[in-house]
Amino acid sequence: MTKILNMQNISKSYYMGEEEIEVLHNVNLTVSTGDFLALLGPSGSGKSTMMNIIGCLDVASSGKYLLSGHDIDELDEFELAKVRNKEVGFVFQSFQLLPRMTAMQNVELPLIYTGLSSSERKKRAQSILERIGLADKMKNLPTQLSGGQQQRVAIARALVTEPTILLADEPTGALDQKTGAQVMELFEELNRDGRTIIMITHDENIARHARRVVNILDGFLTEKEVI
Amino acid sequence: MLLESIRMSWENIITNKLRSLLTMLGIVIGVASIIALITIVQGATNSISEEVTALGVNKITVNVRGTPLKQGLSEQDMENIAQVDNISGLSPTIPGTSNIVYEGKVKENVAVQGKNEVYFQSDSSLLQSGRPINILDLESKNQVAVIGGDIAKELYYGLDPIGRDLMIHGTTYTVIGTLTSSSRFSTTSNNEAVIIPYTTALRSLGVKHISSLDVFLLDTNFADDTVTDIERVLHSTFNYKENAYSIFNMGDMIESFQSMMSIMSLLLAGIAAISLVVGGIGIMNMMLVSITERTTEIGLRKALGATPNTIQLQFIIEAIFLSIFGGLLGLIVGSLVAYIATILIGVGFSIQLSTIALALGFSAIVGIVFGYTPARKASRLNPIDALRSL
């Protein structure tokens, strides 16, 4: 298995006025293709910061981060945007679908930034929506979809660019138990098909669906093998 | 990407119809007033220019005050002037006033002017009926007259004056034609005039010199040179006395009138442009509000791979869209206002392509200028903060 994500001695600190607060302390993390990793931690543990750095929304204060061969610390804002578009598929807690766009248009959105033609975008968005079981909801607006369906559209949007990693932030946080479980089943299924998934959560029951669980507490990572 | 941005801008405008309309109002008013003002002034300018042009742009008028020794031009002087280049013809005026009589009806103090065939050739619309004065009349000093419309009505009411007698200054003339009623703007109204061959006038009106001379040009582009040449001839004719004559170039007058009017329309447009700037500030305000509302959306788009440039482009397009859309509405409103106004004033209505281009171009510039700052702000939003704001 190839290493697609490699973090070495990553630290991140913020300034609160004069005071420097270190949120991540010399974090090391390696993810290989086909992994399903849960980053488990309570709020304030630094897991959001981890997610921002993994997703290339933010850069570390020190350390080395390699994602799919890109040296993220070396990239500027424009190159980071390209890496996000190509390598990372985001799934957010609150779905973050654009309310005035249909499911189809929402899924097409990242492909617009890839620069694909309209017909190619439609073709890809359609096939991914079909695969995820929403073939009959393509013309619906997010408000006309249930929470579970909305999250599936969001997952389709994350997958449509064929990203290296699927990065999910509390994907079941806004869903009830049953639909949450269905979303987790979908994740497991995607992982079985070879998709690399990193999931950030505070819920141990959700983390249990992953193959690897990495605990994060006060900016330190600890990993225990599961199964 | 561009098409996508335009589509998104359109959707955003449609979703916030009232707000967009109010935002655009400033631009609408600005563009409408620019279009209306320029068009109305342009229409008035054109109408007046046409009236003046009808009097002859290819004409230089020489008015002679004379000196104590030489009170006007002689026929010989006129021939000297005719030698000047670029002249197609000369039309002298012998001014006279006389009582005229037809079958006992008397009209007192009528302007009786001696003119030649060139006068009638210069403007074919001068003559309403009958025939003009021709070369034969001039050579044989015929006692013929062309009369103004008002005189025809007064002395020959209900009759066709052509072929009838007219007593001028104690001599009997034959009426050969009538004049078309002249324009309101004419400095020399012909409605109450009687025109006779100038050779006849020199002999019988008691006036011995030519007081004014219309010089018709072959090519108006060289009018200035011709004026200089005529001045030289006149200068020696009047023995280098100052103020013996004046030369009036109709083309010059129209030019200065038009340049005055175009300065005026620019001035008015400048004032109207202020409201465009105010409209631009309105757009900027709406864009800033819109960006605050759509912070999450911007963050999401960035997370999905939108570069800062893409975001900036989208918001600038939205601003340009608003301002151009407002500009188009303003164009329609302004044209309507101008159309109604020109009808009310009674001048011609014509919108120039350059006016439309100016108004739309200006509103697009307003969009770019006032959209730039909000768009830049949007492009610099930190995606983490933006996504967290929900």
Side-chain angles (χ1 to χ4, degrees):
Chain A
M1 280 210 253
T2 35
K3 286 182 190 171
I4 44 161
L5 182 152
N6 191 8
M7 284 183 161
Q8 288 167 17
N9 289 321
I10 292 284
S11 295
K12 178 72 185 177
S13 39
Y14 294 103
Y15 284 91
M16 296 273 270
E18 294 285 295
E19 206 183 344
E20 188 182 350
I21 297 171
E22 198 170 82
V23 185
L24 293 177
H25 313 284
N26 294 322
V27 167
N28 290 290
L29 182 68
T30 308
V31 177
S32 308
T33 38
D35 264 356
F36 185 177
L37 180 140
L39 205 56
L40 180 65
S43 60
S45 59
K47 64 181 192 307
S48 291
T49 309
M50 260 311 265
M51 172 188 148
N52 290 337
I53 292 173
I54 293 171
C56 306
L57 290 168
D58 204 353
V59 286
S61 307
S62 67
K64 200 164 178 59
Y65 175 30
L66 286 167
L67 175 64
S68 207
H70 301 279
D71 197 343
I72 301 302
D73 320 286
E74 304 287 312
L75 303 182
D76 63 22
E77 223 180 328
F78 294 87
E79 291 160 326
L80 281 177
K82 294 288 162 218
V83 170
R84 284 198 293 269
N85 183 249
K86 213 170 137 244
E87 314 289 356
V88 187
F90 285 95
V91 177
F92 300 96
Q93 177 175 2
S94 46
F95 324 135
Q96 301 284 16
L97 298 174
L98 294 185
R100 291 196 298 276
M101 291 184 169
T102 63
M104 180 82 159
Q105 286 169 326
N106 267 292
V107 175
E108 274 183 61
L109 196 58
L111 296 178
I112 289 171
Y113 299 120
T114 314
L116 289 184
S117 71
S118 175
S119 56
E120 182 67 18
R121 291 200 308 253
K122 283 191 173 50
K123 209 174 84 188
R124 288 209 198 173
Q126 194 169 344
S127 88
I128 200 95
L129 279 165
E130 277 164 5
R131 201 185 131 201
I132 222 144
L134 287 171
D136 54 336
K137 305 284 184 196
M138 284 193 280
K139 299 269 180 281
N140 289 32
L141 291 174
T143 45
Q144 299 163 328
L145 297 171
S146 71
Q149 287 168 334
Q150 287 187 49
Q151 192 58 303
R152 287 156 96 91
V153 172
I155 292 166
R157 180 181 64 190
L159 292 173
V160 77
T161 54
E162 297 290 331
T164 315
I165 53 168
L166 188 67
L167 185 58
D169 180 17
E170 301 279 7
T172 58
L175 301 173
D176 60 46
Q177 197 81 41
K178 196 177 150 214
T179 31
Q182 284 168 353
V183 166
M184 289 322 296
E185 270 169 39
L186 178 61
F187 272 35
E188 283 174 31
E189 193 189 317
L190 288 168
N191 180 244
R192 276 198 295 278
D193 293 349
R195 184 69 57 191
T196 313
I197 301 172
I198 300 174
M199 180 174 70
I200 283 107
T201 184
H202 69 280
D203 188 341
E204 276 185 58
N205 294 325
I206 293 300
R208 215 165 282 147
H209 290 270
R211 295 199 201 181
R212 275 174 73 191
V213 177
V214 174
N215 283 291
I216 180 165
L217 195 64
D218 295 335
F220 292 99
L221 287 194
T222 46
E223 181 168 2
K224 52 186 175 192
E225 286 299 325
V226 271
I227 311 171
Chain B
M1 194 78 84
L2 199 68
L3 219 78
E4 174 70 12
S5 299
I6 291 171
R7 196 182 61 82
M8 283 187 299
S9 308
W10 175 248
E11 272 175 8
N12 199 46
I13 288 166
I14 287 299
T15 326
N16 299 306
K17 275 191 208 73
L18 183 64
R19 186 163 79 185
S20 303
L21 203 69
L22 288 174
T23 305
M24 281 188 289
L25 207 57
I27 300 287
V28 174
I29 292 170
V31 170
S33 30
I34 288 178
I35 297 267
L37 287 172
I38 289 184
T39 306
I40 293 166
V41 171
Q42 196 74 50
T45 309
N46 288 347
S47 299
I48 297 171
S49 296
E50 265 166 38
E51 299 270 13
V52 180
T53 307
L55 300 174
V57 267
N58 61 339
K59 189 167 82 173
I60 295 170
T61 304
V62 179
N63 284 306
V64 180
R65 270 183 295 280
T67 61
L69 284 175
K70 185 173 171 58
Q71 292 179 331
L73 294 171
S74 64
E75 282 182 272
Q76 179 59 46
D77 297 332
M78 200 171 100
E79 270 165 41
N80 289 343
I81 291 170
Q83 302 301 311
V84 170
D85 283 343
N86 192 26
I87 289 177
S88 67
L90 295 174
S91 166
T93 302
I94 316 285
T97 324
S98 175
N99 295 348
I100 56 173
V101 187
Y102 171 69
E103 286 190 344
K105 278 180 273 185
V106 182
K107 191 163 163 57
E108 291 183 346
N109 294 325
V110 174
V112 177
Q113 297 175 334
K115 291 192 185 280
N116 67 357
E117 83 287 357
V118 175
Y119 177 69
F120 290 96
Q121 284 160 7
S122 71
D123 184 355
S124 55
S125 67
L126 268 175
L127 204 67
Q128 184 165 34
S129 65
R131 69 165 181 86
I133 290 167
N134 62 29
I135 290 195
L136 289 175
D137 295 324
L138 290 155
E139 276 175 1
S140 19
K141 299 176 182 156
N142 285 344
Q143 309 270 62
V144 291
V146 178
I147 61 173
D150 289 359
I151 290 173
K153 254 184 254 169
E154 246 177 87
L155 294 186
Y156 302 91
Y157 185 77
L159 299 169
D160 183 3
I162 290 162
R164 295 183 196 274
D165 286 351
L166 179 66
M167 189 83 93
I168 303 170
H169 208 67
T171 329
T172 306
Y173 287 71
T174 309
V175 176
I176 55 168
T178 58
L179 295 167
T180 314
S181 294
S182 54
S183 86
R184 282 168 287 149
F185 293 94
S186 173
T187 42
T188 51
S189 170
N190 271 332
N191 298 345
E192 298 238 355
V194 172
I195 292 170
I196 59 175
Y198 82 94
T199 48
T200 317
L202 281 176
R203 190 186 61 188
S204 57
L205 280 185
V207 184
K208 293 294 172 217
H209 49 256
I210 298 160
S211 72
S212 86
L213 191 62
D214 286 342
V215 180
F216 293 95
L217 302 176
L218 288 169
D219 186 345
T220 50
N221 291 327
F222 301 117
D224 290 346
D225 294 340
T226 312
V227 168
T228 312
D229 289 345
I230 293 170
E231 263 176 345
R232 209 176 47 238
V233 173
L234 287 169
H235 221 48
S236 69
T237 305
F238 288 102
N239 210 7
Y240 306 102
K241 286 274 191 299
E242 296 289 331
N243 302 326
Y245 56 88
S246 62
I247 297 177
F248 179 76
N249 185 352
M250 193 67 99
D252 270 359
M253 203 198 87
I254 292 176
E255 251 173 53
S256 58
F257 167 74
Q258 281 172 341
S259 76
M260 194 185 79
M261 288 303 264
S262 69
I263 288 172
M264 189 167 134
S265 72
L266 269 182
L267 196 78
L268 288 172
I271 294 168
I274 294 172
S275 63
L276 263 188
V277 173
V278 176
I281 295 170
I283 285 185
M284 188 152 143
N285 190 30
M286 157 143 178
M287 294 303 296
L288 286 171
V289 170
S290 161
I291 285 161
T292 311
E293 281 179 353
R294 288 152 71 192
T295 303
T296 326
E297 179 188 329
I298 295 163
L300 173 77
R301 286 176 185 276
K302 281 195 156 186
L304 295 183
T307 61
N309 282 2
T310 320
I311 300 285
Q312 187 166 359
L313 182 74
Q314 188 195 330
F315 281 93
I316 285 193
I317 283 178
E318 199 164 312
I320 294 174
F321 211 78
L322 269 176
S323 60
I324 288 204
F325 202 68
L328 280 173
L329 279 179
L331 178 65
I332 295 164
V333 174
S335 308
L336 274 174
V337 169
Y339 183 68
I340 294 166
T342 47
I343 286 175
L344 291 179
I345 302 171
V347 298
F349 170 81
S350 78
I351 282 190
Q352 247 137 33
L353 211 64
S354 61
T355 314
I356 296 173
L358 181 85
L360 291 186
F362 205 28
S363 50
I365 288 170
V366 164
I368 293 169
V369 168
F370 290 95
Y372 181 80
T373 312
R376 189 155 182 78
K377 193 184 161 200
S379 77
R380 287 188 161 183
L381 274 179
N382 182 349
I384 302 165
D385 298 338
L387 279 169
R388 196 179 290 151
S389 79
L390 194 85

